[in-house]
Amino acid sequence: MNVAKPLAVVTGASTGIGYELARQFAVHGFDLVVCADERRLETAAGELRRLGAEVVAVRADLALYDGVEQLHQAVAATRRPLVAAALNAGVSTGGAFLATDLADQARILDLNIASTVHLAHRLLPAMVDVGEGRLLITSSIAAHVPGPYQVVYNASKAFLLSFAEALRDELRGTGVTVTALLPGATDTAFFRRAGIQDTLLGLGDKDDPALVAAQGFAALMRGRGTVFAGSLRSRLGGYAARVLPHALTVPAYRRRSRPLRGIRPPVPHGTPLGAGPEGVRGAGEPTHGP
């Protein structure tokens, strides 16, 4: 790798917001370590190399402890200081909580929360040691609204927002900043992978992931704390979700996230893990939705 260029890490970088974030880094003169658990990652890495970046592609499942360690070791192997990281990988599963497979809900916690905390703890010390760094954590507008039919996903995004804001305060004065990116519904594979196409959220208008990424990258480089991203409609929706009472926002979210063809029955007691209702397993969503 060209040691004269700054180095950045992007997770969930095969498609959607993650790929567009990586693209922003590439066109602004960064080399990259990119990670996802999909075959599409190599194609994405090739596209980023054509933009002039040197790219290390790490195919790993960050929902696993060893997957996070694999990525961290790949970063360390570059023997270069890390200037920026965008922790963007995430997953969701739609449907009533009792009708979904517990393993799917556990994967949301493992990927969205545990991997972000784990990777931040691995990457930040080196940034603090040199007194320079930028960390982006992709949360969601959904962080501000308890989400019926996406109860664990929305809770995970609330955790990430709180984590980013608290970490930013702890790191004040170190030269390292933490930015929370809060997109709205974005035109990615999120809705298909979460099994929520058959909802008003899935059927509604969505933002361009390139726009979300450009706004997130600009906020990251300026060292901003929290940024709502996407169209004006989405950003205004984010501010409204933050200030309006849950008595108003939760019923509105329920109407948009409830399956239009009815609610699946709960998984019977004693159903083995991994044998939940058809079509609700998330496949490792690299971008973010509502």
Side-chain angles (χ1 to χ4, degrees), residues 61 73 186 191 194 201-202 226 245 264:
D61 184 355
Q73 289 165 12
T186 306
F191 298 91
L201 280 172
T226 301
R264 289 182 289 265

Side-chain angles (χ1 to χ4, degrees), residues 116-181:
T116 301
V117 173
H118 185 168
L119 196 53
H121 201 273
R122 287 289 190 245
L123 298 180
L124 284 171
M127 293 184 184
V128 172
D129 284 347
V130 300
E132 179 184 13
R134 298 283 184 269
L135 178 67
L136 179 79
I137 294 175
T138 301
S139 177
S140 170
I141 288 173
H144 289 297
V145 184
Y149 305 109
Q150 286 200 90
V151 294
V152 177
Y153 173 78
N154 284 38
S156 76
K157 293 302 179 179
F159 176 96
L160 291 178
L161 176 58
S162 176
F163 177 66
E165 291 182 337
L167 193 56
R168 176 181 176 83
D169 188 77
E170 280 194 17
L171 295 176
R172 197 175 301 275
T174 66
V176 179
T177 62
V178 181
T179 299
L181 175 63

Side-chain angles (χ1 to χ4, degrees), residues 169-259:
D169 188 77
E170 280 194 17
L171 295 176
R172 197 175 301 275
T174 66
V176 179
T177 62
V178 181
T179 299
L181 175 63
L182 280 68
T186 306
D187 189 12
T188 72
F190 172 89
F191 298 91
R192 174 180 58 80
R193 291 174 174 173
I196 56 174
Q197 307 101 310
D198 184 33
T199 65
L200 294 179
L201 280 172
L203 296 171
D205 293 336
K206 300 175 182 64
D207 293 333
D208 182 351
L211 173 64
V212 171
Q215 293 170 344
F217 180 84
L220 177 69
M221 291 297 103
R222 290 197 296 267
R224 289 183 57 189
T226 301
V227 58
F228 292 112
S231 63
L232 177 61
R233 171 185 53 80
S234 290
R235 285 179 280 129
L236 291 175
Y239 288 113
R242 186 169 66 183
V243 300
L244 291 175
H246 289 168
L248 295 177
T249 59
V250 173
Y253 195 97
R254 180 178 66 243
R255 288 191 294 272
R256 297 184 68 208
S257 61
R258 181 186 175 106

Side-chain angles (χ1 to χ4, degrees), residues 67-118:
V68 178
E69 289 295 299
Q70 178 185 345
L71 175 56
H72 177 239
Q73 289 165 12
V75 175
T78 67
R79 299 185 180 276
R80 292 174 57 180
L82 185 66
V83 175
L87 307 187
N88 172 78
V91 71
S92 182
T93 291
F97 177 70
L98 294 182
T100 55
D101 190 335
L102 179 59
D104 292 325
Q105 302 296 354
R107 181 171 175 81
I108 295 172
L109 300 176
D110 290 339
L111 185 59
N112 297 15
I113 295 177
S115 77
T116 301
V117 173
H118 185 168

